[in-house]
Amino acid sequence: MSKNYYQQEIETMSAEEMRKLQSEKLVKQVKHVYENVPYYRNLMDEKGVTPDDIKGIEDLHKLPFLTKADLRDAYPYGLLAKPLEECVRIQSTSGTTGRRVVAFYTQNDVNLWEDCCARAIVAAGGTNKDVCQVAYGYGLFTGGPGLNGGSHKVGCLTLPMSSGNTERQIQFMTDLSATILCCTPSYAAYIGETLKEQGYKPEDIPLKAGIFGAEPWTEEMRRNIEETLGIKAYDIYGLTETSGPGVAFECEEQTGMHVNEDHFYAEIIDPETGEVLPEGSKGELVFTSLDKEAFPLLRYRTRDICVLSRKKCSCGRTLVKMAKPMGRTDDMLIIRGVNVFPSQIETVLLKEGYEPNYQIVVDRVKNNDTFEVNVEMTNEKFTDKLSEIIAMEKSLANAMKTMLGINPSVHLLAPKSIARSEGKAVRVVDKRKLV
Ligand code: ADP
Ligand code: ZN
């Protein structure tokens, strides 16, 4: 059993105690929001709910949802629950799906957020003996600042690299013997690829662990990164709206991420009806911030699709686990009426021995959807013989058809011809003008 806890009492608390703690926090939080956020008070009034109706977690379902549309409506200050004088930080979403939203933090909010990231680093084996290379972007994006703060709390020697400049990443990693790498999985894969090209073998690379998140990635991609870098790769999840990375983190069991549920209460709902679904059901993840002061979102619909599980974990943590999100409700492409998630394409590619360097291009020509997947050949698979390329394209297209139910047209490209991402990868180019 692991002794790698940052806040053991919380991380291994019994289910009843946790629920009690959550209930106490919720009651206070609903009052705080009702009194200080007119936007949410209106939503509660419309539903006929008052703070007195909320006596504990069992009453959470009575509260209205918040959506990204609300955040955009209320931009920038409409959901702020503290005077600006008490706020010390603003962060913003990376704008993957539309206009950015901004989130505010008091010093206490920053502190709790960094604790969450510290839990993740410790779960990945981090101690004050580690050198932690933070290659998430620094700035408005939450990745860099969040892991940076967590790394300090654990007492790691922190390398605040930010993303980009891969040569310099490698130089610092090797010169200063970085043991933990934090970045997006797509950037980790790219750093790995570059190291390999430079002749590094996994055993020459000082890293022992990676904490990768902020975008969807598959199990196959995990194994791929683990092999190239010679590390154990841990998933981390979060979103700006709730604070940033560290809402949930993986332990050594690598079977889902423990939600820091003393701060964020997780529900799974049916995205169509809003009905709360029982444990184990697949649906949309909804979070309630139980103790954030400046930007306390109640029942925020993340649009991430996933499953929660309370199955006992071998690490000893009792925190509920969320499965790897399998995409977002809005990440899903509907192509010729069929639901397609980029993660499905990635799974096929890795199974067929390709690298996860691909781009999906969708267009509409004469009322018909076109569906192209551009994929890089790997060095091993590289050939300039047309007949071989055509055969490989056909075989990949068939594998994708089996997975998705529709036939893409696959184009194999020369190695390195798809632009690499240092932050979140751009997997989809949708050229359809449907409005
Ligand atoms: P944006 O919505 O602009 O991308 P954020 O940068 O706050 O804003 O990104 C949060 C989103 O990133 C999450 O809602 C989720 O879809 C995705 N995400 C974060 N971590 C992970 C992860 N470990 N696995 C899959 N998706 C993730
Ligand atoms: Zn665990």
Side-chain angles (χ1 to χ4, degrees):
M1 207 222 256
S2 157
K3 292 282 166 289
N4 298 339
Y5 307 119
Y6 179 68
Q7 290 168 316
Q8 181 164 4
E9 199 189 324
I10 296 283
E11 293 176 57
T12 60
M13 188 173 257
S14 75
E16 306 87 82
E17 271 182 291
M18 179 56 76
R19 205 168 163 90
K20 199 166 148 247
L21 178 69
Q22 291 167 328
S23 290
E24 284 165 12
K25 287 187 178 188
L26 179 68
V27 170
K28 267 204 220 147
Q29 186 70 307
V30 173
K31 283 204 183 81
H32 170 55
V33 172
Y34 194 80
E35 281 161 17
N36 295 295
V37 185
Y39 189 98
Y40 197 76
R41 181 165 63 232
N42 287 340
L43 294 179
M44 283 177 65
D45 289 346
E46 272 169 28
K47 257 198 127 190
V49 196
T50 69
D52 291 339
D53 297 321
I54 309 299
K55 306 255 186 315
I57 290 294
E58 64 283 5
D59 297 320
L60 185 63
H61 68 99
K62 297 178 183 163
L63 291 171
F65 291 116
L66 274 174
T67 63
K68 199 142 186 164
D70 289 312
L71 264 67
R72 287 178 186 140
D73 259 10
Y75 174 91
Y77 302 121
L79 291 162
L80 188 63
K82 281 281 184 186
L84 283 175
E85 292 84 338
E86 289 184 44
C87 298
V88 299
R89 180 90 69 80
I90 289 178
Q91 306 276 179
S92 166
T93 60
S94 41
T96 316
T97 52
R99 207 170 106 188
R100 287 162 187 268
V101 293
V102 289
F104 300 83
Y105 305 69
T106 62
Q107 185 55 52
N108 190 51
D109 292 334
V110 172
N111 191 29
L112 297 185
W113 172 29
E114 292 178 352
D115 280 343
C116 290
C117 291
R119 288 182 195 172
I121 294 172
V122 172
T127 70
N128 60 2
K129 297 199 176 60
D130 282 294
V131 177
C132 182
Q133 178 162 359
V134 183
Y136 283 110
Y138 279 64
L140 284 169
F141 177 54
T142 53
L147 268 309
N148 190 86
S151 174
H152 275 240
K153 286 212 165 194
V154 177
C156 302
L157 179 58
T158 310
L159 270 171
M161 300 295 298
S162 197
S163 60
N165 200 337
T166 308
E167 289 301 318
R168 193 177 59 193
Q169 301 279 358
I170 289 174
Q171 188 198 333
F172 273 76
M173 177 186 292
T174 49
D175 288 354
L176 300 171
S177 298
T179 49
I180 300 178
L181 174 65
C182 308
C183 60
T184 56
S186 51
Y187 195 41
Y190 180 45
I191 293 177
E193 195 182 331
T194 313
L195 278 161
K196 201 170 171 182
E197 268 169 23
Q198 296 185 357
Y200 284 92
K201 302 218 165 45
E203 58 273 20
D204 307 329
I205 302 169
L207 295 175
K208 66 173 188 191
I211 302 177
F212 306 133
E215 65 181 359
W217 52 314
T218 53
E219 272 315 311
E220 291 81 3
M221 185 156 169
R222 185 211 303 264
R223 300 298 159 222
N224 198 286
I225 296 172
E226 288 188 328
E227 274 166 32
T228 321
L229 292 174
I231 60 169
K232 191 151 172 163
Y234 297 83
D235 204 353
I236 185 167
Y237 168 91
L239 58 164
T240 315
E241 294 90 323
T242 54
S243 61
V247 170
F249 63 97
E250 219 170 28
C251 63
E252 74 247 12
E253 207 184 83
Q254 295 182 312
T255 53
M257 294 174 272
H258 289 288
V259 177
N260 282 314
E261 58 174 331
D262 54 323
H263 300 305
F264 309 104
Y265 187 84
E267 298 171 279
I268 292 285
I269 62 159
D270 177 332
E272 303 291 328
T273 64
E275 185 201 345
V276 180
L277 301 177
E279 186 199 326
S281 321
K282 188 160 98 183
E284 181 178 349
L285 189 57
V286 173
F287 281 113
T288 294
S289 303
L290 295 172
D291 45 19
K292 275 187 64 183
E293 297 175 337
F295 202 66
L297 302 188
L298 304 180
R299 301 199 86 201
Y300 180 66
R301 293 182 59 158
T302 62
R303 297 176 298 175
D304 290 323
I305 299 162
C306 96
V307 178
L308 292 176
S309 158
R310 291 211 168 266
K311 237 173 91 200
K312 199 162 181 259
C313 186
S314 61
C315 76
R317 285 180 187 78
T318 47
L319 301 171
V320 68
K321 271 181 170 175
M322 58 178 272
K324 204 176 247 316
M326 52 157 313
R328 308 201 208 192
T329 48
D330 52 3
D331 186 39
M332 185 179 80
L333 287 158
I334 303 180
I335 306 172
R336 297 176 213 143
V338 176
N339 298 346
V340 174
F341 288 96
S343 58
Q344 294 174 303
I345 307 261
E346 192 170 305
T347 300
V348 174
L349 289 180
L350 288 154
K351 272 204 188 112
E352 301 290 320
Y354 291 84
E355 304 279 335
N357 298 319
Y358 67 98
Q359 201 155 49
I360 303 167
V361 185
V362 193
D363 204 348
R364 184 159 288 186
V365 180
K366 293 193 193 135
N367 286 326
N368 261 323
D369 288 338
T370 60
F371 174 25
E372 290 170 29
V373 185
N374 296 325
V375 181
E376 276 181 16
M377 280 186 264
T378 58
N379 285 331
E380 293 78 47
K381 285 187 187 283
F382 184 77
T383 166
D384 52 8
K385 263 188 141 172
L386 197 58
S387 58
E388 283 175 13
I389 295 176
I390 291 172
M392 282 159 73
E393 287 177 340
K394 220 171 150 195
S395 138
L396 249 188
N398 279 338
M400 286 182 196
K401 166 109 200 276
T402 310
M403 169 74 110
L404 306 170
I406 56 169
N407 219 341
S409 88
V410 171
H411 302 291
L412 286 177
L413 309 175
K416 302 253 164 255
S417 48
I418 294 177
R420 295 293 186 272
S421 131
E422 292 162 351
K424 298 195 191 208
V426 182
R427 302 296 194 200
V428 178
V429 181
D430 195 340
K431 299 178 174 169
R432 293 175 294 186
K433 302 228 172 0
L434 301 181
V435 270

